Amino acid sequence: YVWAAEKTLMGGITTARDVGGWNHLEFAVRAAITAGIAKGPRLFLAGKLLSITTGAVGYYPGMYDVANGPDEVRAAARRQIAAGADLVKVMATGAILSPENEDARAIQFTKPELEAAVEIARDNFKHVAAHAHAVQGIRHAVESRCHPIGHGTYADRAVLQSMAKKGTFLVPTNCPFTSVLNDAKIRSEMPAHLSERLTAIRETHRKAMAAAYKLGVPIAMGTDAGTPANHHGMNAQECVLMAQEIGMKPTDVIHSSTLNAARLIRQDANLGSRDEGKYADLIACRDNPLKDVSALTRLALVMKGGEIVRNEI
């Protein structure tokens, strides 16, 4: 975790949101960074993600807090907040990187369960981030006031229009769909059903994200770093994919990675722009990212809170 945090910072990410930790080790890393013992971005953490009973729990031991029914969801949300979570993460639908018997097109938490998570988060001045691929799961999450929606693979026009109207953020996470497919070694070593899924739905995801952008859904950058071949420190590759895969303008890509991202975590009073009174977080690129967004992957300097942490000028 400490190594990953430092790599992330050196890659130009001065603030990061973690929405699926492991046995709360991420809380210790956050404390070490705050104390100056370790290097890394400011961390906003969800702790263990809330999930129904599912085979994926065995796939990722230490990541899930299993809850079935609204009362159990309320208790699980309280557990994560008590542990130090800044937000609550819920599995509104099945996942892609999961056992063969789990289907990302199916809902997991029901709407009453999602509403229970939002109730506890709201009462504790926090928000709920929803993992959601299935269109009905996305709809339930939006109607329950989960914010943001992660992935959104099977989103249709109606649910995207609802998100745009409500101002519900979308985090596309393009990286998992391309990183594995571009790494033959990783692809050969992972279970066949996972690479087959990623290949099969990549275009579905791309079209949904492009539609979201055209419809005016607010978008924030997020990478799902830590998934296969999706390495910490390479986070800015997501910015490149936002332009290449879904057609975002460089200015919008940068906005999604700065002020929009700060708004998503309710930190826009402190982060996301160069306004007076905010933290002095800056990166310097070797080329102009407004002309070539891939310049965001070629850094010469990183400053976090006024301190230069990487200097290759």
Side-chain angles (χ1 to χ4, degrees):
Y1 262 100
V2 172
W3 174 87
E6 183 170 354
K7 293 284 287 186
T8 300
L9 177 62
M10 297 307 158
I13 306 300
T14 55
T15 301
R17 183 183 63 117
D18 184 299
V19 286
W22 185 64
N23 284 328
H24 292 163
L25 287 181
E26 65 278 11
F27 293 123
V29 174
R30 179 178 63 185
I33 293 170
T34 301
I37 299 170
K39 293 182 179 180
R42 297 177 200 85
L43 293 178
F44 290 82
L45 308 174
K48 293 184 179 183
L49 53 88
L50 276 54
S51 171
I52 64 167
T53 300
T54 171
V57 174
Y59 248 41
Y60 304 104
M63 283 187 64
Y64 285 74
D65 192 338
V66 176
N68 297 294
D71 287 342
E72 288 190 11
V73 170
R74 290 185 183 93
R78 290 187 176 110
R79 280 194 293 272
Q80 298 315 309
I81 292 170
D86 301 296
L87 64 145
V88 175
K89 169 71 178 292
V90 295
M91 297 294 288
T93 77
I96 303 296
L97 299 174
S98 62
E100 288 186 82
N101 61 356
E102 183 166 307
D103 193 335
R105 298 170 300 175
I107 68 166
Q108 289 198 355
F109 276 137
T110 62
K111 189 176 176 184
E113 289 170 321
L114 294 173
E115 289 171 341
V118 171
E119 173 193 344
I120 299 304
R122 182 190 62 238
D123 289 351
N124 287 275
F125 305 100
K126 303 188 187 298
H127 65 280
V128 174
H131 162 106
H133 290 286
V135 64
Q136 186 63 12
I138 299 169
R139 185 173 296 112
H140 284 170
V142 173
E143 291 174 353
S144 301
R145 299 185 182 276
C146 295
H147 185 83
I149 305 299
H151 315 305
T153 301
Y154 295 102
D156 61 15
R157 185 177 182 86
V159 78
L160 291 173
Q161 287 175 325
S162 176
M163 291 177 67
K165 182 177 180 179
K166 293 175 181 291
T168 304
F169 272 97
L170 172 66
V171 182
T173 61
N174 295 286
C175 279
F177 294 92
T178 59
S179 57
V180 167
L181 302 180
N182 293 332
D183 191 321
K185 183 176 184 297
I186 293 291
R187 194 167 63 249
S188 68
E189 293 175 349
M190 70 191 305
H193 76 275
L194 297 183
S195 60
E196 289 168 3
R197 283 178 179 177
L198 289 166
T199 301
I201 67 171
R202 177 181 177 180
E203 185 62 12
T204 300
H205 178 266
R206 188 198 67 77
K207 287 181 177 179
M209 299 304 99
Y213 177 53
K214 291 178 180 177
L215 289 169
V217 176
I219 293 174
M221 191 273 272
T223 64
D224 237 3
T227 53
N230 183 10
H231 304 297
H232 297 282
M234 296 176 59
N235 309 67
Q237 185 61 31
E238 177 71 18
C239 298
V240 179
L241 295 174
M242 291 169 86
Q244 292 179 346
E245 295 282 305
I246 61 181
M248 291 180 66
K249 297 177 181 178
T251 50
D252 292 335
V253 170
I254 293 171
H255 189 75
S256 76
S257 308
T258 52
L259 190 55
N260 261 12
R263 287 171 175 157
L264 183 154
I265 59 172
R266 281 66 168 171
Q267 288 294 312
D268 47 304
N270 302 313
L271 305 167
S273 65
R274 295 186 294 111
D275 296 328
E276 183 178 354
K278 294 190 178 185
Y279 288 113
D281 291 359
L282 297 169
I283 62 171
C285 304
R286 298 190 179 279
D287 303 289
N288 186 352
L290 295 178
K291 293 182 178 179
D292 177 6
V293 75
S294 70
L296 295 171
T297 67
R298 300 186 295 276
L299 302 183
L301 181 141
V302 177
M303 176 187 289
K304 175 193 169 189
E307 177 188 359
I308 295 175
V309 295
R310 174 179 174 179
N311 188 355
E312 299 173 10
I313 295 177

